[in-house]
């Protein structure tokens, strides 16, 4: 199974709230759009219903990547690629009320034509945007981290990070790792955060008040909206 390592995603979110005639009309239109996409052979999609919008989106995103990988392995032009470049990922969010509370359905989809091999792809930074003047200050001393954390912090690409964490797990240097959406108690995990371009952007320490491993400064999950994360724990001896 190939790993989706490079993703250029434009999220187009339609938030629909039930409770008025207009909202009902919007829900009907949304359902028609979703059904049309599901019937078309031009799209790959994933949908998940959950009690929170964030959970629905995270699980649907994971499902979409799995669907893309599964489809790509059957395509002659893509099956030999070690990574894929995906653009124009779209999302529709629908909320609806149930006796025990609101539920959210996240529907993610992408055109098959927007999936290409990413082996030779390169992302170029936009240097035309206005630059913020640099602020110089004396760097603060950074905390000391376990060897396994320092080792993982060296990796900047999602695919190589996953390979390394699997190796450390096999060597007993990592106890457990899993996607953020599946963690029952995220506070006990280090969080390795990656963006939609498949780039590892931060590792956060465990606890309610997290630190950024690279900078030693306070940091939190909320600072990485739209990113995914892999949680991992270390043996007590690390």
């Amino acid at each position: 199974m190939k790993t989706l390592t490079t993703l250029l995603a434009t999220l187009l979110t339609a938030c629909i709230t039930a409770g008025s005639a207009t909202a009902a009309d919007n829900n009907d239109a949304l359902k028609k759009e979703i059904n049309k996409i599901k019937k078309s052979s031009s799209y790959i999609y994933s949908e998940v219903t959950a009690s929170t919008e964030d959970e629905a989106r995270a699980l649907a995103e994971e499902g979409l990547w799995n669907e893309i990988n599964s489809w790509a392995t059957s395509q002659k032009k893509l099956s030999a690629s070690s990574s894929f470049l995906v653009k124009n990922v779209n999302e529709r969010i629908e909320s609806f009320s149930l006796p025990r509370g609101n539920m959210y359905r996240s529907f993610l989809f992408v055109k098959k034509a927007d999936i290409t091999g990413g082996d030779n792809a390169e992302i170029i930074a936009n240097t035309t945007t206005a630059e913020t003047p640099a602020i110089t200050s004396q760097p603060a001393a950074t905390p000391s981290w376990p060897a396994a954390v320092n080792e993982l912090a060296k990796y900047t690409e999602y695919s190589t990070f996953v390979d390394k964490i699997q190796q450390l797990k096999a060597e007993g240097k990592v106890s457990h790792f899993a996607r953020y959406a599946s963690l029952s108690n995220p506070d006990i995990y280090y969080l390795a955060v990656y963006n939609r371009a498949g780039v590892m952007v931060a590792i956060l320490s465990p606890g309610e008040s997290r630190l950024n491993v690279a900078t030693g400064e306070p940091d939190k999950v909320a600072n990485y909206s739209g990113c995914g994360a892999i949680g991992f724990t270390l043996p007590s001896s690390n």
Side-chain angles (χ1 to χ4, degrees), residues 73-142:
T73 57
S74 67
Q75 305 301 304
K76 185 176 181 179
K77 292 183 178 180
L78 296 174
S79 59
S81 296
S82 62
S83 61
F84 308 118
L85 181 68
V86 183
K87 56 184 178 180
N88 299 325
V89 176
N90 290 269
E91 180 184 31
R92 299 293 182 265
I93 288 288
E94 177 188 7
S95 66
F96 50 93
S97 296
L98 292 177
R100 295 184 179 181
N102 289 336
M103 297 292 287
Y104 297 86
R105 176 168 69 160
S106 176
F107 183 84
L108 287 174
F109 61 97
V110 62
K111 278 189 175 182
K112 293 176 181 178
D114 285 338
I115 303 171
T116 59
D119 289 343
N120 297 317
E122 184 175 357
I123 299 174
I124 306 298
N126 182 359
T127 59
T128 62
T129 55
E131 295 184 0
T132 302
I135 299 175
T136 58
S137 60
Q138 188 69 24
T142 58

Side-chain angles (χ1 to χ4, degrees), residues 36 65 99 125 137 159 162 179 187 216:
K36 183 177 179 180
W65 307 158
S137 60
S159 59
V162 171
R179 290 182 180 274
D187 287 347

Side-chain angles (χ1 to χ4, degrees), residues 55 176 178-189 191 231 233:
E55 181 183 8
H176 174 72
R179 290 182 180 274
Y180 183 83
S182 66
L183 303 179
S184 58
N185 183 11
D187 287 347
I188 67 173
Y189 288 82
L191 294 180
T233 55

Side-chain angles (χ1 to χ4, degrees), residues 27 33 70 76 79 81 84 91 102 105 111 130 135 146 148 150 154 164 186 194-195 201-202 215 228:
N27 267 338
E33 180 189 9
S70 179
K76 185 176 181 179
S79 59
S81 296
F84 308 118
E91 180 184 31
N102 289 336
R105 176 168 69 160
K111 278 189 175 182
I135 299 175
N150 289 329
K154 298 176 183 177
K164 186 61 180 181
Y194 56 93
N195 65 20
V201 295
T215 66

Side-chain angles (χ1 to χ4, degrees), residues 155-159 161 192-195 198-203 230:
Y155 293 85
T156 58
E157 294 185 4
Y158 178 86
S159 59
F161 177 90
V193 184
Y194 56 93
N195 65 20
V199 177
M200 308 304 299
V201 295
I203 294 182
I230 296 175

